[in-house]
Amino acid sequence: MTKKLKKLRIRVILALVIYIPLFIFNITEGFENYSRWLSICIFAIPYLIAGYDVIRKAIINISHGHIFDENFLMMIATVAAFIVGEYPEGAAVMIFYQIGELFQGYAVGKSRDGISKMMDIASEYANVVNEDGSISLEDVDDVEIGTTILVKPGEIVPIDGVIIEGTSFIDTSAITGESLPRRVETGDEIISGYVNKDGYFKVKTTKAYEDSTVAKILELVEEASEKKTKVENFITKFARIYTPIVTISALVLAIIPPIILGGDRQTWSDWIYRACIFLVISCPCALVISIPLGFFSGIGASSKIGVLIKGSNYIEELSKLKIIAFDKTGTLTKGEFTVTELIVRKNEKEKLLYLASAAESYSNHPIAEAIKKAYTQHTTNKTIDTSIISKVTEKAGYGITCMANDKKLLIGNETLLNENGIKVEACNKPGSHVYVAYDEEFLGTIIINDIIKEEAKRTNQILKTIGVQKSVMLTGDRPNSAAQIAETAGIDEYHAGLLPQEKVERLEELLDNRRENESLAYVGDGVNDAPVLMRADIGIAMGVMGSGSAIEAADIVIMDDDLIKIPKAVNIAKRTMIIVRQNIVFTLAIKFAILFLGVIGVANMWEAVFADVGVCVIAILNSMRAMNVKKIQSI
């Protein structure tokens, strides 16, 4: 609780301590035998203790030309109640209004917890290891790429990098939402924002601080609050129009009926009292506070499970999700390529891998890495012989041409070999096909497959149960490989062999064929996914493996690449929207009912207090339910 809220709490408690004995005395003995001014002064004490800041804000706002707000309504209503002799009610309205403000502040603080924890994941300093082995404490903004830093037990990893020495267990919960500690060792990538649990380890930084994971997260969190939903924008506009209308209506209610009725002083007092009730009931606090709070709680709940939603408008879109499109590599699959089969003539598998790994030793492409790994794992010689390779030429998208032992070696796709006059023995087996030709002869085929994520099929099954009608895969991979992944992952429809611009075209077709009130999401992780992520109603990026451009283009970031977080986020969005609609219906129904009763003289100030403060507190408490993620976690 902030200092401001603590001070407000003290004032409210003090006001209640003074008010309650006065109220009891008033209903038992009464103040009829005392001076009217004495009664005003006595009840003004708790009134001013609780609400002096409300009056001050109202006066300041009026002086700046901002007249119609909740402070103005409360000041006018309570002062008018004192004028007509309803001192206990006037003081009570102010005290209970401040109790509502206290609840609001507490609720906002609670709903910020999930997000504010993220604000604590950034370290301001790094332990830089100097050339002489000494350690110096430096500002993270001054640490350059390639610097060696030391992370001690209990410290936050300040910058992304690779562990070059040491082992430890790390807490990833602030970034991924995963509660179980994870073991890391030399060679592992480490993300800023992780907390070192026990051992010491050294990290070689691979990014500058401003480009590191934690800096990007904090930037996205700050931007999230600026993006409002249609409902929030409507409520904001509604309050701006609604408040002056209510004020004018209350003024009409206080003046016109007594004039028409030609009433005496009591009649005037009665109608002014009704106007005060009208003002108190009409205060739009419950809507203005609880609606944004509901969305903010939804964003907080998502951050608890490791899903970063960049704005409340995306919660609204996510709740309407009906079509979801996936990239393949790194999204539905792990992005870990493995050689699954070699198609060669008898006893030439080792030769095929020997030549292919030597040629690919100059490339860091994932497929090249898979071939080199296969050679060291499946042959007797564990060292790749690069000395045989010379005159290497790599043609992007086609393959490598080089000389091996002064003979021409080709490794790549069918087009590359055909251009060099080599006839390829075509292969229709699922996977990526790498063809190899040596000394003008076709040598064989290397089949490489990506490993599908274990949770891919279950994710699609759960999405279907919560309202998603269609799942699609858009990939640049070969049709037979795409077909196998789509079938295994439970995808309804797939489109293969797509270039980045063709992915956008396919997405446009999906957008054109959906209904007006339905949303389409695209899930991707690569640089080439950025245009599609931006074009979709909801762009979802895989955070750990995802490229920086994909994460920046996306509306939602899954911080640990776990696909199962998508249906969890959809459930949070749906529940948040239900809570928001409940608050709107409940608030307006109660207010309009008691407004009507107040106008006809049935409701008194106590009902008005409930219609304002009571309804506001109930709506706030209901909004806080969106923070509960226990049921969501069980998916």
Side-chain angles (χ1 to χ4, degrees):
M1 188 177 284
T2 63
K3 289 182 179 180
K4 184 178 178 181
L5 281 179
K6 288 178 180 177
K7 287 180 180 178
L8 179 59
R9 182 177 62 183
I10 292 170
R11 284 169 38 214
V12 167
I13 292 171
L14 181 58
L16 284 171
V17 168
I18 297 172
Y19 177 80
I20 291 172
L22 292 175
F23 177 74
I24 294 171
F25 179 80
N26 185 62
I27 61 175
T28 54
E29 299 292 332
F31 283 90
E32 289 81 3
N33 298 325
Y34 299 88
S35 163
R36 182 187 180 199
W37 289 107
L38 177 63
S39 300
I40 291 175
C41 291
I42 288 173
F43 279 102
I45 294 171
Y47 172 83
L48 291 172
I49 289 173
Y52 77 87
D53 58 332
V54 175
I55 297 171
R56 182 172 60 84
K57 286 177 191 174
I59 293 171
I60 291 171
N61 289 343
I62 290 170
S63 68
H64 292 159
H66 305 298
I67 299 174
F68 301 108
D69 64 2
E70 62 269 22
N71 296 300
F72 174 78
L73 292 180
M74 283 299 110
M75 183 183 75
I76 294 297
T78 52
V79 169
F82 270 83
I83 291 171
V84 299
E86 301 293 345
Y87 324 122
E89 285 91 337
V93 167
M94 185 59 75
I95 293 170
F96 282 107
Y97 173 76
Q98 292 290 60
I99 290 173
E101 290 290 295
L102 196 62
F103 264 92
Q104 175 200 340
Y106 175 76
V108 170
K110 286 288 287 182
S111 68
R112 284 181 185 272
D113 280 351
I115 295 175
S116 64
K117 284 178 183 176
M118 281 191 148
M119 307 309 284
D120 296 328
I121 62 178
S123 178
E124 296 180 0
Y125 301 97
N127 302 308
V128 174
V129 181
N130 301 310
E131 291 183 2
D132 60 0
S134 62
I135 306 293
S136 60
L137 200 64
E138 294 188 17
D139 192 298
V140 289
D141 291 316
D142 298 330
V143 178
E144 297 179 353
I145 297 173
T147 302
T148 300
I149 59 175
L150 177 69
V151 183
K152 301 175 184 178
E155 288 186 340
I156 298 169
V157 177
I159 305 172
D160 295 5
V162 177
I163 296 176
I164 58 173
E165 183 182 322
T167 61
S168 182
F169 281 92
I170 56 169
D171 178 2
T172 68
S173 59
I175 302 294
T176 67
E178 176 57 54
S179 58
L180 292 176
R182 199 172 84 196
R183 180 178 172 81
V184 291
E185 55 190 22
T186 302
D188 288 343
E189 290 187 8
I190 193 83
I191 301 297
S192 53
Y194 289 173
V195 179
N196 184 16
K197 299 296 286 183
D198 48 19
Y200 289 79
F201 56 84
K202 292 180 181 178
V203 175
K204 188 171 185 178
T205 61
T206 55
K207 293 181 181 178
Y209 174 73
E210 64 265 21
D211 297 321
S212 65
T213 301
V214 70
K216 292 294 184 184
I217 290 172
L218 297 182
E219 183 182 335
L220 297 178
V221 169
E222 288 169 3
E223 292 173 354
S225 60
E226 299 174 6
K227 298 175 180 177
K228 292 186 175 182
T229 64
K230 294 177 184 177
V231 175
E232 286 179 290
N233 288 326
F234 168 75
I235 293 299
T236 302
K237 292 176 184 176
F238 173 76
R240 288 175 187 165
I241 299 168
Y242 169 82
T243 307
I245 290 174
V246 162
T247 306
I248 295 168
S249 300
L251 187 63
V252 170
L253 188 65
I255 296 173
I256 302 301
I259 292 175
I260 293 173
L261 297 173
D264 53 15
R265 180 177 177 179
Q266 182 59 42
T267 304
W268 277 94
S269 178
D270 179 48
W271 283 98
I272 290 173
Y273 181 67
R274 293 188 192 187
C276 292
I277 293 171
F278 189 90
L279 283 175
V280 173
I281 297 168
S282 302
C283 185
C285 297
L287 288 175
V288 173
I289 294 167
S290 68
I291 304 308
L293 181 60
F295 285 110
F296 200 79
S297 296
I299 292 174
S302 299
S303 70
K304 282 185 177 181
I305 65 168
V307 178
L308 180 58
I309 298 179
K310 296 185 183 180
S312 52
N313 52 327
Y314 302 121
I315 286 185
E316 190 173 15
E317 288 294 334
L318 198 58
S319 71
K320 301 183 293 184
L321 182 63
K322 294 298 179 185
I323 304 171
I324 187 164
F326 296 93
D327 172 45
K328 182 181 79 69
T329 305
T331 302
L332 289 171
T333 64
K334 293 182 178 180
E336 298 174 7
F337 290 95
T338 304
V339 173
T340 54
E341 191 174 352
L342 300 173
I343 303 176
V344 292
R345 286 178 297 219
K346 190 175 181 180
N347 298 325
E348 289 193 340
K349 288 185 178 181
E350 188 162 333
K351 179 182 178 182
L352 179 71
L353 281 176
Y354 172 72
L355 292 169
S357 63
E360 295 285 11
S361 62
Y362 294 91
S363 174
N364 59 1
H365 189 280
I367 288 180
E369 295 294 334
I371 292 172
K372 288 184 283 186
K373 185 178 179 180
Y375 176 73
T376 58
Q377 287 181 341
H378 301 296
T379 63
T380 54
N381 190 347
K382 302 298 181 184
T383 304
I384 296 173
D385 185 4
T386 59
S387 63
I388 65 169
I389 302 297
S390 62
K391 299 180 182 180
V392 179
T393 303
E394 184 170 2
K395 188 177 181 181
Y398 293 87
I400 293 172
T401 302
C402 63
M403 299 301 291
N405 294 323
D406 298 323
K407 295 178 182 178
K408 193 172 186 180
L409 173 63
L410 303 170
I411 176 168
N413 61 17
E414 188 174 353
T415 304
L416 177 69
L417 272 68
N418 288 339
E419 286 178 353
N420 285 272
I422 307 297
K423 186 177 180 181
V424 172
E425 296 175 11
C427 175
N428 295 319
K429 292 188 176 182
S432 297
H433 299 160
V434 178
Y435 299 106
V436 181
Y438 181 59
D439 193 19
E440 306 299 330
E441 289 186 5
F442 179 70
L443 191 59
T445 305
I446 302 172
I447 299 177
I448 298 172
N449 279 297
D450 196 357
I451 302 170
I452 191 167
K453 291 181 179 178
E454 294 83 359
E455 72 273 13
K457 186 171 185 177
R458 184 162 169 258
T459 295
N460 280 293
Q461 289 172 338
I462 296 172
L463 285 169
K464 290 289 175 65
T465 64
I466 59 176
V468 174
Q469 297 170 353
K470 186 178 183 181
S471 58
V472 183
M473 184 174 71
L474 305 178
T475 179
D477 205 352
R478 295 163 55 92
N480 58 356
S481 178
Q484 181 190 35
I485 296 294
E487 183 179 357
T488 307
I491 300 291
D492 299 321
E493 178 183 317
Y494 71 91
H495 301 277
L498 302 177
L499 296 172
Q501 63 270 26
E502 292 173 329
K503 281 189 176 183
V504 176
E505 291 170 6
R506 288 291 184 183
L507 193 81
E508 293 278 5
E509 292 175 9
L510 293 170
L511 288 167
D512 291 340
N513 293 329
R514 52 149 196 186
R515 294 177 184 173
E516 186 176 344
N517 202 35
E518 295 178 348
S519 293
L520 182 150
Y522 180 81
V523 189
D525 73 311
V527 173
N528 62 350
D529 289 320
V532 204
L533 287 165
M534 294 181 73
R535 182 62 190 90
D537 296 320
I538 314 153
I540 303 175
M542 311 307 286
V544 175
M545 296 294 291
S547 69
S549 57
I551 292 171
E552 287 179 13
D555 309 311
I556 297 171
V557 181
I558 310 296
M559 294 311 301
D560 61 354
D561 292 343
D562 185 0
L563 286 171
I564 211 73
K565 297 289 179 67
I566 297 173
K568 287 182 179 182
V570 174
N571 270 338
I572 288 173
K574 286 179 178 291
R575 189 177 63 175
T576 300
M577 291 306 300
I578 289 171
I579 288 170
V580 166
R581 293 188 184 103
Q582 285 173 346
N583 283 344
I584 293 172
V585 173
F586 171 74
T587 300
L588 293 179
I590 295 295
K591 281 187 176 292
F592 284 133
I594 300 182
L595 266 177
F596 174 74
L597 295 176
V599 170
I600 64 176
V602 174
N604 60 24
M605 195 66 80
W606 295 107
E607 279 89 353
V609 169
F610 171 75
D612 177 38
V613 180
V615 167
C616 186
V617 169
I618 292 170
I620 287 170
L621 293 174
N622 193 40
S623 292
M624 289 177 69
R625 291 195 303 115
M627 287 293 293
N628 187 1
V629 295
K630 289 182 180 178
K631 290 183 179 179
I632 302 296
Q633 290 282 37
S634 63
I635 289 179

